[in-house]
């Protein structure tokens, strides 16, 4: 089969299409025939060497939408099931940017019925990150939350999920994105920041600057694992490291089908055009994910 890999770190030119063996699922695993797989900034980070793995062949891709093609013992899924999943891990030999991928069965959820596989593939990594970051913030309905990068993929899902939970959301993004951010559910829009909110979800990686927006004793969660600004004024600071969670992903799929969450796709590329997609991602300014289609 074909798989998108890097064997040397670098820019978009480092992306290769390799011929590799089709992987076999073990116990409590499934093999998915990939219909669509989103390209995320973390893939660019892996390509550039930001997560290590020098000297190894590294596969790219975390998100997948497709069809179960084979199942190991005790997998709980059947051949032919239409699914979405998160293939966790930056340093791995194969990712979801391939014709087939093997994932743990408990990372899998049934695919949404209201959107096609291309849009479904934009859900797992970004929506799970947003949901798990909100869990860390632990705000109650009626409390106030500022989301930086509110027009982006993680930020957009965070705005929608937070509004659905009954939080009063202020979106921070470029002024040109105000209409979008409000449509996502933000009650307020503040491109330059806000004062005295109960919590901040820092999807734009502003760090200490956004920490200043939080009231004394509030909460701050970033999206770069293991990094957080030092606590000030009793503000609790943390960062989210996304985990594969099929049960939670199923809840998010249900919210897509209910119209609570909006999937956004900027463009699609064939698997063989992965290098072009990486170059497009590097250009910035996207509102929605780029998706590879084998």
């Amino acid at each position: 089969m074909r798989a998108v890999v890097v064997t040397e770190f670098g820019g978009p030119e480092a992306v290769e299409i390799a011929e590799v063996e089709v992987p076999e699922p073990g116990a409590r695993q499934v093999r998915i025939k990939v219909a669509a797989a989103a390209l995320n900034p973390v893939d660019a980070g892996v390509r550039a060497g930001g997560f290590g793995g020098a000297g190894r062949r590294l596969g790219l891709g975390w998100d997948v939408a497709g069809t179960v093609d084979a199942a190991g013992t005790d997998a709980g899924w059947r051949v032919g099931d239409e699914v979405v999943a998160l293939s966790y891990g930056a340093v791995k030999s194969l990712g979801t940017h391939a014709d087939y991928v093997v994932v743990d069965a408990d990372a899998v959820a049934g695919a949404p019925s209201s959107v096609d596989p291309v849009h479904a593939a934009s859900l797992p990594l970004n929506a799970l990150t947003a949901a798990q970051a909100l869990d860390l913030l632990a705000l109650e309905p009626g409390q106030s939350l500022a989301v930086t990068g509110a027009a982006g993929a993680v930020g957009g899902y965070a705005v929608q999920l937070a509004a659905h939970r009954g939080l009063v959301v202020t979106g921070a993004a470029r002024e040109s994105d105000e209409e979008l951010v409000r449509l996502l559910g933000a009650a307020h829009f503040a491109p330059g920041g806000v004062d005295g909110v109960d919590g901040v979800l820092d999807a734009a990686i502003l760090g200490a600057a956004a920490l200043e927006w939080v009231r004394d004793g509030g909460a701050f969660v970033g999206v770069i694992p293991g990094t957080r600004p030092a606590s000030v004024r009793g503000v609790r600071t943390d960062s989210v490291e996304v985990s594969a969670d099929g049960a939670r992903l199923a809840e998010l799929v249900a919210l897509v089908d209910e119209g609570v969450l909006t999937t956004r796709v900027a463009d699609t590329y064939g698997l063989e055009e992965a290098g072009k997609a990486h170059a497009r991602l590097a250009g910035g300014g996207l509102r929605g994910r780029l998706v590879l289609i084998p």
Side-chain angles (χ1 to χ4, degrees):
M1 71 170 192
R2 300 168 302 161
V4 179
V5 303
V6 292
T7 55
E8 295 183 359
F9 298 137
E13 73 283 352
V15 174
E16 304 175 26
I17 308 297
E19 290 289 332
V20 302
E21 293 293 323
V22 176
E24 294 295 332
R28 295 180 294 281
Q29 290 185 321
V30 297
R31 185 172 67 210
I32 299 172
K33 180 176 174 57
V34 180
L39 174 64
N40 289 283
V42 67
D43 297 306
V46 173
R47 184 202 72 217
F51 297 90
R56 295 175 53 183
R57 183 194 73 189
L58 302 180
L60 302 179
W62 293 54
D63 292 309
V64 61
T67 305
V68 174
D69 170 73
T73 57
D74 300 322
W77 296 93
R78 297 179 298 180
V79 171
D81 286 342
E82 295 183 0
V83 296
V84 290
L86 178 69
S87 174
Y88 175 84
V91 181
K92 55 196 176 189
S93 60
L94 291 174
T96 64
H97 296 170
D99 290 317
Y100 297 88
V101 65
V102 167
V103 298
D104 291 339
D106 61 5
V108 179
S113 61
S114 59
V115 298
D116 61 20
V118 169
H119 284 80
S122 70
L123 183 72
L125 176 60
N126 296 292
L128 280 170
T129 299
Q132 292 169 6
L134 288 170
D135 291 346
L136 288 175
L137 285 164
L139 299 180
E140 298 293 333
Q143 288 192 288
S144 56
L145 171 71
V147 177
T148 72
V154 173
Y157 283 133
V159 169
Q160 291 187 306
L161 288 168
H164 183 64
R165 293 185 182 194
L167 303 180
V168 181
V169 182
T170 297
R174 298 174 183 173
E175 291 186 5
S176 58
D177 287 320
E178 178 174 2
E179 182 179 0
L180 169 61
V181 172
R182 289 188 180 276
L183 284 172
L184 292 171
H188 308 288
F189 183 77
V194 64
D195 292 325
V197 290
D198 295 307
V200 163
L201 196 162
D202 186 23
I205 318 175
L206 300 183
L211 181 63
E212 293 302 314
W213 304 355
V214 185
R215 65 165 174 80
D216 294 358
F220 173 102
V221 170
V223 296
I224 304 298
T227 65
R228 68 189 79 174
S231 176
V232 295
R233 300 178 285 102
V235 175
R236 175 172 52 85
T237 63
D238 207 341
S239 59
V240 63
E241 180 166 2
V242 69
S243 61
D245 183 339
R248 191 63 179 282
L249 183 56
E251 295 174 2
L252 297 168
V253 165
L255 293 177
V256 171
D257 286 339
E258 292 169 17
V260 173
L261 292 182
T262 305
T263 57
R264 291 181 287 156
V265 172
D267 207 348
T268 59
Y269 290 82
L271 194 67
E272 69 281 359
E273 300 176 302
K276 292 181 180 179
H278 275 255
R280 176 82 176 278
L281 179 64
L286 297 170
R287 289 296 173 258
R289 280 287 172 249
L290 302 174
V291 178
L292 302 181
I293 303 175

